Amino acid sequence: MAAIVLATFNARWAHAAHGLRCLKANLGALADATELVELTLDDHPADAAEKILAHRPRLVGVGAYIWNVGPSVALLGLLERLAPEVVRVAGGPELRGEPLAHPLARHADYLVVGEAEQSFAALATRLLAGERPAERVIVSPPPRLEELDLPYALYGDGDLAARTVYLESSRGCVFDCDFCLSALDQGVRLVPPAPLRAALERLWARGLRRFRFVDRSFNLQGAASDALLDFFLSRPGEDWFVHLELAPTRLSPALQAALRRFPAGTLQLEVGVQSLDDEVVARVNRRQRAAEVCATLGWLRRETTAHLHTDLLIGLPGEGIAGLARSFDQLLSLAPHEIQLGVLKRLPGAPLARHDAAFGMVYDPAPPYEVLCTAALDFATVQRLKRLARFWQRLGNSGELRATLPLLVAGPSAFAALLELSDWLYDRLGGTCFVALERLYRLLADYLVDRRGLAPDAARATLASDWQRGQRRLPGWLRGEADP
């Protein structure tokens, strides 16, 4: 039996719920009476309700995120029907806009908005004491991070061995991008370095070797950033890995020196480019210059062994297909390891809504709230670009086609070549869903011959080199043999 159950639907089992652990770590005397129930999107809400009610809780807190709104609403509805005496509390980024208008509000007794460690603990204490506050919406002021207990002791040995453990050395962001909820925060707050270092040492001693930080821009905290990198650079061996998000601004000499020292395979840097059009990024209040971004990425590619994951956004206000193509082509020329083509989303509460009228922005009202069309991109074009993003993930970001990809993108514009290929594949497949690898290779062979003018032997030879890199047995048709 547990007085409190904290539950959420993770996108997949490998993603451990950082938010739930932050809440439990700061429940004080109530922590020992609290159970975590981690679900996935594969769990039916009725099965989730069964797992929660098996603990016979008096209070259930549900964490809602862009990927789990539907099952979270369904779960709360079932709990309301099955156990109306149990107090239901909803929280999470989904409630940053108009919480009482959100579908979660239909079935939740209370809604906690913002960083909830302290406010949820105070609410839970009152509820379990028999009080029922009249105000349903509890708005949490940003807590002082030095007053919070870190959650990492709540990760079990199985979590450390097989799941993604999320960490943070700061909250907030120096950018105030209209499309991001960090625009609602005030500046950057640091997790105190000494407790963080001690927590990292304990995690390392327990066997954690893959560290994924969720900081928006770790590299703008000066000495704290340097200390964080020093922790990893002082580790023995090279069987560890750290993921950090880096703001694409000028890198300090100390940071450059540290980044050069990371052994190959130990560091991944995520760099949010979004667009390389200075006018477009200024419009959405992102303070960056394309020249500086390109200089930073170029230096990282030349001087470090870091794996570079970069992002571009489809559908930014005022950016048409030509502008997106220029950004993609310029970014591709810098040779990052990945370019993720994301679709602009209007998150609840984010300031992005201020552009709707001026730039004809239309969004899907259902999660994940993706843009449907803009004055610069009609609906059909947005759909084409979404398909391109999915095909690019398979063809480009996967690393599957190292030899073949240059042939597919050859020409004045790699983006234009990929869009043509995407349209061609969609016409033949009727969708962008999974296609068996050998069938994909056959389609690409046809495309290279029919649309790019390669000789059949040359197309097969290039594709064969990619196929064999995966230590796979070469099909007969790639050896030039006729199908039986």
Side-chain angles (χ1 to χ4, degrees):
M1 180 175 177
I4 301 172
V5 167
L6 298 174
T8 195
F9 291 89
N10 297 321
R12 51 182 62 91
W13 176 84
H15 297 179
H18 180 70
L20 297 191
R21 289 170 173 80
C22 287
L23 291 177
K24 180 173 178 175
N26 289 278
L27 277 172
L30 295 176
D32 289 340
T34 300
E35 290 289 339
L36 304 184
V37 175
E38 294 189 77
L39 309 156
T40 75
L41 297 179
D42 292 328
D43 286 300
H44 191 280
D47 297 329
E50 180 185 15
K51 293 177 183 179
I52 290 168
L53 294 176
H55 293 284
R56 298 169 60 193
R58 295 170 58 194
L59 185 160
V60 174
V62 175
Y65 302 85
I66 192 171
W67 62 82
N68 70 13
V69 175
S72 296
V73 172
L75 171 61
L76 287 168
L78 288 173
L79 293 175
E80 183 180 26
R81 291 169 176 80
L82 294 167
E85 73 282 2
V86 175
V87 182
R88 301 170 305 282
V89 180
E94 276 295 300
L95 296 172
R96 291 296 293 268
E98 300 179 16
L100 289 174
H102 197 282
L104 291 161
R106 294 199 298 265
H107 305 296
D109 296 300
Y110 295 95
L111 307 166
V112 182
V113 180
E115 299 170 40
E117 287 99 336
Q118 293 175 335
S119 57
F120 179 76
L123 175 64
T125 300
R126 297 177 66 186
L127 291 171
L128 294 179
E131 297 183 46
R132 294 296 293 262
E135 183 60 54
R136 290 184 65 204
V137 178
I138 292 87
V139 178
S140 309
R144 292 169 56 86
L145 298 187
E146 58 268 26
E147 296 176 356
L148 299 182
D149 289 323
L150 299 180
Y152 305 115
L154 297 176
Y155 286 98
D157 291 342
D159 298 325
L160 302 188
R163 304 178 75 191
T164 299
V165 173
Y166 296 98
L167 306 102
E168 56 182 353
S169 66
S170 65
R171 292 183 183 177
C173 185
V174 293
F175 296 115
D176 294 314
C177 307
D178 289 343
F179 49 79
C180 183
L181 291 176
S182 290
L184 305 177
D185 300 328
Q186 297 297 316
V188 176
R189 292 166 292 139
L190 296 179
V191 175
L196 177 61
R197 178 84 180 213
L200 293 175
E201 293 283 3
R202 288 191 291 270
L203 288 169
W204 184 275
R206 293 178 59 200
L208 183 64
R209 293 297 182 268
R210 297 185 69 82
F211 299 76
R212 187 177 183 94
F213 283 82
V214 296
D215 304 44
R216 295 293 188 183
S217 47
F218 95 96
N219 57 308
L220 298 178
Q221 282 85 57
S225 303
D226 298 339
L228 181 62
L229 296 184
D230 178 70
F231 169 82
F232 293 102
L233 290 172
S234 66
R235 299 301 99 184
E238 298 178 6
D239 63 337
W240 48 269
F241 173 83
V242 59
H243 171 104
L244 297 162
E245 186 166 345
L246 180 141
T249 56
R250 185 179 62 84
L251 306 179
S252 70
L255 189 61
Q256 288 181 328
L259 293 175
R260 285 191 180 100
R261 292 173 54 202
F262 275 82
T266 62
L267 177 63
Q268 176 168 295
L269 296 175
E270 182 174 346
V271 183
V273 177
Q274 319 311 351
S275 173
L276 287 172
D277 186 313
D278 288 344
E279 183 179 349
V280 169
V281 295
R283 184 175 297 131
V284 293
N285 208 34
R286 184 174 179 84
R287 296 184 296 275
Q288 71 180 36
R289 293 287 182 181
E292 188 176 33
V293 173
C294 292
T296 298
L297 290 172
W299 183 89
L300 289 168
R301 198 68 177 91
R302 292 190 309 272
E303 302 291 333
T304 78
T305 60
H307 181 98
L308 298 184
H309 173 107
T310 59
D311 301 283
L312 289 176
L313 276 177
I314 295 167
L316 287 167
E319 183 163 64
I321 194 168
L324 179 62
R326 286 192 296 271
S327 289
F328 183 92
D329 289 343
Q330 189 172 1
L331 186 55
L332 187 65
S333 72
L334 297 169
H337 301 87
E338 296 179 70
I339 301 175
Q340 181 172 320
L341 281 169
V343 181
L344 182 68
K345 300 170 179 63
R346 188 175 67 184
L347 303 176
L352 189 63
R354 70 187 181 91
H355 300 289
D356 288 0
F359 293 95
M361 311 296 291
V362 178
Y363 300 90
D364 190 334
Y369 315 112
E370 290 182 341
V371 68
L372 296 173
C373 64
T374 75
L377 296 171
D378 62 21
F379 176 62
T381 300
V382 171
Q383 290 293 100
R384 288 179 69 205
L385 294 174
K386 288 181 180 180
R387 291 193 288 269
L388 168 60
R390 297 185 195 111
F391 283 128
W392 170 249
Q393 191 67 23
R394 185 81 183 273
L395 302 174
N397 289 337
S398 67
E400 172 72 30
L401 300 170
R402 296 180 200 170
T404 308
L405 189 63
L407 301 178
L408 297 173
V409 302
S413 168
F415 184 88
L418 287 167
L419 187 57
E420 178 186 322
L421 171 60
S422 173
D423 292 340
W424 188 90
L425 287 171
Y426 181 69
D427 286 343
R428 279 146 187 82
L429 294 170
T432 58
C433 58
F434 174 80
V435 55
L437 190 62
E438 186 173 348
R439 186 183 179 200
L440 178 63
Y441 268 66
R442 283 181 177 269
L443 286 167
L444 293 177
D446 291 342
Y447 182 81
L448 288 170
V449 172
D450 296 343
R451 301 298 290 269
R452 303 298 264 171
L454 264 70
D457 288 347
R460 286 195 298 269
T462 302
L463 287 162
S465 67
D466 284 325
W467 184 276
Q468 290 177 304
R469 189 181 303 108
Q471 305 301 311
R472 297 176 290 249
R473 181 177 180 276
L474 199 64
W477 70 271
L478 272 178
R479 297 194 297 267
E481 300 173 5
D483 289 330

